Amino acid sequence: MALEATTTLNHPVNQVAAVFADEAFQRHVSELVGGKLESFTVDGDTASAFTATIVRQVPTGRLPELAKKFVGEHLTVTQVEKWTAPDADGSRHSDISVKVAGAPVDVTAVQRLIAEGAGTRLELSGTVSSSIPLLGGKIADAAEPFVGKALNIEATQAEAWLAGEIH
């Protein structure tokens, strides 16, 4: 299942990237959806190329009953973001992989932070897949709206975080 999302943030790329690499921000987003940040690491200097690894425990309350039978009340989600160093105009991108422990769902995506004047256009494109024969497509289709919503929440919260509306 394909993922596509675009939004604009009213802050420069370097500030947006810094928020995505901020443990307090990642904790806020995790707790906002009723989850918990289990661990957060950044390898490398965030002013250059770096890798962020975010491990969250998220509730399954909004999943279909059939899915909850298999995965229980919580899922452990590991998100790895491999960020490039900034381009000459400050734009950057990250290769994102998401693994869900105990669920046959994988997400691969590219997130681009594109400098536009004083702001940033955030573009995300990727795929949701499942490794289960025959049912994999249905599982990926069911997971896609949740993944898309999670990515939109992160962008919306980043804008509010940078505007000083939350902390």
Side-chain angles (χ1 to χ4, degrees), residues 10-22 46-48 50 83 86-87 89-92 113-120 162:
N10 296 315
H11 301 277
V13 170
N14 65 327
Q15 290 180 8
V16 174
V19 166
F20 289 152
D22 183 311
T46 58
S48 185
F50 69 95
W83 287 88
D87 293 339
D89 69 351
S91 297
R92 26 187 351 167
L113 302 180
I114 302 163
E116 284 193 338
T120 300
L162 287 165

Side-chain angles (χ1 to χ4, degrees), residues 14-111:
N14 65 327
Q15 290 180 8
V16 174
V19 166
F20 289 152
D22 183 311
E23 183 172 357
F25 172 75
Q26 294 297 338
R27 179 170 284 105
H28 164 74
V29 170
S30 298
E31 292 170 356
L32 180 72
V33 298
K36 167 176 107 169
L37 184 65
E38 298 220 331
S39 68
F40 179 81
T41 57
V42 173
D43 294 318
D45 181 352
T46 58
S48 185
F50 69 95
T51 299
T53 303
I54 306 138
V55 180
R56 296 182 174 97
Q57 186 181 81
V58 296
T60 59
R62 294 185 182 147
L63 290 178
E65 285 301 317
L66 177 64
K68 285 194 276 188
K69 285 181 184 180
F70 291 104
V71 297
E73 293 183 25
H74 293 91
L75 291 171
T76 300
V77 178
T78 302
Q79 181 172 328
V80 178
E81 300 179 352
K82 295 182 180 183
W83 287 88
T84 62
D87 293 339
D89 69 351
S91 297
R92 26 187 351 167
H93 79 271
S94 67
D95 293 319
I96 299 172
S97 69
V98 178
K99 302 282 186 202
V100 181
V105 175
D106 293 318
V107 178
T108 56
V110 174
Q111 179 171 259

Side-chain angles (χ1 to χ4, degrees), residues 1-5 96 107-111 124-128 144:
M1 185 79 195
L3 281 175
E4 298 292 330
I96 299 172
V107 178
T108 56
V110 174
Q111 179 171 259
L124 182 94
S125 60
T127 58
V128 179
E144 188 272 334

